[in-house]
Amino acid sequence: MVRILFVCHGNICRSPMAEFVMKKLADEAGVGDKYMIESAATSTEEIGNPVYPPARKKLAEHGISCDGKRARQVRKSDYANYDYIIGMDEENMYNLRRLFSDDNEGKLSLLMDYTARPGSVADPWYTRDFEATWQDVLEGCNGLLKTIIEKTR
C-alpha cells in the first residue's frame, strides 16, 4: 500500500484538489486499490470545514467528487503513517520541516518537484485562479504517480 498525504495551509483548496485528482489518476491507472490518499492542513483555521466551493466546482468540472471531505490538521503521527508527505508551497514545507524535523526517510517534498517546473502550486484562495491551480495539481499528480509506479515496479 502506497500512502500519500497532500498538505496545504487550510486543507480546503490545493491539498484536497490533489487528494481527489490523485485518487482519480490512480484509479484510471488501475492501481487505486494499492493507494491510500488523503490531505491535511498546516493551520487550524479551517479544521472541520468542507472543500472551498470554487475548488469543489473545479473538481466537479472534471467529474471528480469531494463529497464528505472535511479539513483536518496534519499530526506528528502522520510521519509514520504515510510514505509521501507532499506540500504545495515553501511555507507548507517550512511548517512540515518544523513538525517532522527528522525527515530521515525523505518523505517530504513539494508536489511540483515531480514536474519539469519545480516550485509552488499557487494558492487560489489568494490568486482566485482555480484553473491555474487545477493545471499545476494535475501536472504534479501525474508526475508523482509516474514516479511512484516506476519505483514500485
Side-chain angles (χ1 to χ4, degrees):
M1 178 72 60
V2 176
R3 300 161 304 164
I4 303 166
L5 182 66
F6 293 104
V7 180
C8 70
H9 181 78
N11 192 215
I12 61 168
C13 294
R14 294 172 293 172
S15 61
M17 285 176 78
E19 173 185 348
F20 290 97
V21 166
M22 190 69 168
K23 286 177 179 179
K24 181 176 182 180
L25 294 174
D27 285 344
E28 290 173 351
V31 295
D33 61 332
K34 296 179 172 106
Y35 287 67
M36 180 181 86
I37 304 164
E38 297 181 349
S39 63
T42 58
S43 73
T44 59
E45 57 205 56
E46 298 290 347
I47 302 306
N49 289 335
V51 175
Y52 190 52
R56 188 170 45 244
K57 180 180 176 193
K58 182 55 65 179
L59 288 169
E61 286 174 14
H62 298 276
I64 301 171
S65 171
C66 58
D67 290 349
K69 172 65 183 171
R70 297 284 179 183
R72 77 158 178 96
Q73 188 174 27
V74 66
R75 299 180 285 268
K76 187 97 172 144
S77 61
D78 287 332
Y79 194 85
N81 295 328
Y82 294 91
D83 304 304
Y84 296 86
I85 301 173
I86 311 291
M88 297 294 132
D89 63 31
E90 284 300 335
E91 183 180 334
N92 306 148
M93 295 305 293
Y94 173 79
N95 290 324
L96 289 169
R97 286 185 197 105
R98 287 183 59 214
L99 182 61
F100 308 123
S101 58
D102 185 22
D103 180 27
N104 58 350
E105 295 180 50
K107 295 181 178 187
L108 304 179
S109 62
L110 281 168
L111 180 60
M112 296 306 286
D113 287 349
Y114 298 94
T115 73
R117 45 185 196 92
S120 295
V121 174
D123 190 342
W125 178 267
Y126 299 105
T127 67
R128 311 315 288 168
D129 190 347
F130 286 84
E131 179 60 27
T133 299
W134 164 263
Q135 293 297 329
D136 284 349
V137 165
L138 182 61
E139 183 180 352
C141 287
N142 272 309
L144 175 60
L145 183 61
K146 181 180 178 197
T147 297
I148 294 170
I149 288 173
E150 287 173 0
K151 271 186 171 179
T152 56
R153 281 189 178 154

